[in-house]
Amino acid sequence: MNKSRSLSIVIPVYNEEENVTILFDEIKKVLEGFVKKYEVIFINDGSTDNSLERLMDLRKKDKSVRIINFRKNFGQSSAISAGFELCTGDYVITLDADLQNDPANIPDILEKLNEGFDIVNGWRKKRKDSLTKKIPSYFGNKLVSFITKVKLHDYGCTLRGFKKDVVKTLKLYGEMHRYIPAIASRIGIRSIEIPVNHRERRFGKSKYGLGRTFRVILDLISIKYLLSFSHRPLQIFGSLGMLMMSTGFLTGLYITYEKYFLGKSADRPLLTFTVLVLFLGFQIITLGLLAEMLTRVYHEGLNKNVYTIRETYGFEDENIDDRT
Ligand code: UDP
Ligand code: MG
């Protein structure tokens, strides 16, 4: 890797006391002599075990460790987002704290970033997880690729590399971290997928169960909305509403014509239909206007974060770029 480039590694931690020390040692071994300027940012996402103590021990021994301590558990996406906010490296790599991602893949990722890609996605080709994870994830990846038009084999892999400017434009919440490549496609980026090693979880428990599937799908709907219509919500709501209102107008005309010219009773299912579509159409248009206003508020309020930080350690040190 280009020796003058600095690197930030961002790691979300939620109850991983047995893992963090081993992980940090692995990372150091990989980076030694290879990357000169780096920081390893751990985000303690409201752990209830001794993760924070283990991280503080690491920081005592090694000043490249930086810690963001959340006030409570805000979720993996918020943790990654906080890391993105405070990181200072030219290149940024995210990975899980549970040792399932292999730091040995870091050089491959850096190489691709050096080649000019903005995002390098890890693809867990031989995934070491239970079937209850692998099966929904197989269909999930197909669905997300289809809907977002950003085709990837593995949306769920946290091991990824980014250029600094990409991470600085992202705000994540919910289960959004898995859609980073899709969200980033909005700003026009070059991305690539490379196979990475995946390992079984040895210590601690997975933080997610089957319930995640639903949250992932709900977030997909909002991503699709964000990608396609977030700038002009009135265009989807509006066209649907106009369509319904014009249908109602036509059936209304027809039923009036029949009543006054043919003397038929207007009190028929068609009348109910007419009233229904007219009202619904009107409502949908107003909903679109509301969404339009919300979009403005959202874009203006983009600088607000979902998470709150109790304290940080190490960020007062000199910028990693100033280190020799
Ligand atoms: N994680 C987190 N906050 C949470 C849940 C998870 O920071 O609310 C971290 C967790 O410590 C791990 C990573 O996110 O480093 C992935 O979690 P996990 O291994 O449980 O997910 P899985 O691999 O089972 O999908
Ligand atoms: Mg895991």
Side-chain angles (χ1 to χ4, degrees):
M1 126 144 184
N2 187 335
K3 290 258 161 125
S4 62
R5 297 256 201 262
S6 52
L7 169 67
S8 298
I9 298 189
V10 169
I11 308 170
V13 178
Y14 181 42
N15 295 342
E16 309 282 1
E17 58 184 0
E18 302 99 328
N19 293 315
V20 285
T21 315
I22 308 176
L23 178 67
F24 184 69
D25 287 344
E26 287 189 352
I27 292 175
K28 270 210 77 129
K29 275 208 193 89
V30 173
L31 296 185
E32 229 146 60
F34 179 66
V35 186
K36 222 161 50 173
K37 294 176 278 188
Y38 64 88
E39 61 183 352
V40 183
I41 303 178
F42 289 96
I43 303 92
N44 178 37
D45 185 15
S47 298
T48 49
D49 65 357
N50 291 318
S51 294
L52 182 63
E53 285 73 16
R54 293 293 84 76
L55 294 174
M56 296 297 275
D57 293 344
L58 285 177
R59 163 138 184 94
K60 257 183 233 140
K61 281 187 261 155
D62 196 314
K63 290 292 174 238
S64 65
V65 173
R66 291 174 172 185
I67 305 166
I68 301 172
N69 189 27
F70 275 3
R71 288 186 176 275
K72 70 177 228 339
N73 176 252
F74 284 101
Q76 195 180 349
S77 276
S78 291
I80 292 175
S81 191
F84 283 174
E85 177 104 21
L86 297 185
C87 69
T88 55
D90 299 316
Y91 294 159
V92 182
I93 286 184
T94 53
L95 77 161
D96 284 349
D98 60 358
L99 300 171
Q100 289 200 269
N101 297 134
D102 189 346
N105 290 119
I106 291 177
D108 313 335
I109 295 178
L110 292 178
E111 196 185 305
K112 290 291 168 203
L113 290 173
N114 260 340
E115 279 175 26
F117 290 97
D118 300 302
I119 299 189
V120 182
N121 297 288
W123 167 20
R124 297 164 294 178
K125 225 170 170 173
K126 295 202 184 89
R127 195 169 159 184
K128 300 282 171 15
D129 271 323
S130 62
L131 276 181
T132 52
K133 274 212 171 107
K134 285 202 271 196
I135 294 171
S137 151
Y138 174 81
F139 291 106
N141 285 315
K142 288 259 180 284
L143 183 71
V144 179
S145 294
F146 174 72
I147 290 190
T148 64
K149 303 280 181 288
V150 178
K151 305 235 174 313
L152 286 185
H153 290 96
D154 189 1
Y155 263 91
C157 182
T158 318
L159 181 54
R160 294 193 181 108
F162 307 88
K163 292 264 176 66
K164 179 183 193 166
D165 51 332
V166 176
V167 307
K168 293 296 180 191
T169 59
L170 297 171
K171 279 267 180 298
L172 312 167
Y173 44 88
E175 292 287 322
M176 300 283 180
H177 59 275
R178 62 188 56 249
Y179 300 119
I180 294 175
I183 303 172
S185 72
R186 266 215 311 185
I187 55 172
I189 44 117
R190 288 179 70 205
S191 70
I192 190 175
E193 199 174 30
I194 61 168
V196 294
N197 190 19
H198 194 240
R199 307 180 289 191
E200 252 166 74
R201 204 186 234 283
R202 279 188 289 153
F203 309 105
K205 284 198 299 266
S206 168
K207 311 298 178 295
Y208 304 104
L210 260 183
R212 169 161 68 179
T213 318
F214 293 105
R215 279 179 284 139
V216 166
I217 289 175
L218 283 177
D219 273 349
L220 179 62
I221 298 176
S222 86
I223 293 283
K224 177 65 190 169
Y225 178 72
L226 214 70
L227 284 176
S228 312
F229 303 109
S230 72
H231 298 298
R232 302 322 313 268
L234 192 56
Q235 288 181 359
I236 29 168
F237 290 109
S239 359
L240 191 62
M242 298 272 271
L243 185 73
M244 293 181 96
M245 282 189 80
S246 15
T247 312
F249 183 71
L250 288 180
T251 52
L253 265 186
Y254 178 69
I255 219 165
T256 316
Y257 163 79
E258 281 198 333
K259 180 170 160 70
Y260 288 106
F261 292 90
L262 308 179
K264 284 194 188 165
S265 158
D267 196 9
R268 285 184 289 154
L270 191 61
L271 181 67
T272 323
F273 175 79
T274 303
V275 174
L276 188 75
V277 283
L278 276 177
F279 265 96
L280 268 184
F282 182 69
Q283 292 251 295
I284 288 174
I285 294 176
T286 14
L287 196 71
L289 284 171
L290 271 179
E292 188 92 13
M293 278 165 63
L294 278 180
T295 311
R296 305 259 154 103
V297 177
Y298 171 78
H299 281 291
E300 280 160 24
L302 266 187
N303 286 326
K304 294 193 191 84
N305 285 321
V306 192
Y307 56 83
T308 49
I309 295 173
R310 189 179 302 280
E311 69 261 305
T312 62
Y313 304 94
F315 289 91
E316 68 287 357
D317 294 359
E318 80 274 39
N319 192 308
I320 46 169
D321 277 324
D322 303 334
R323 265 189 223 156
T324 45

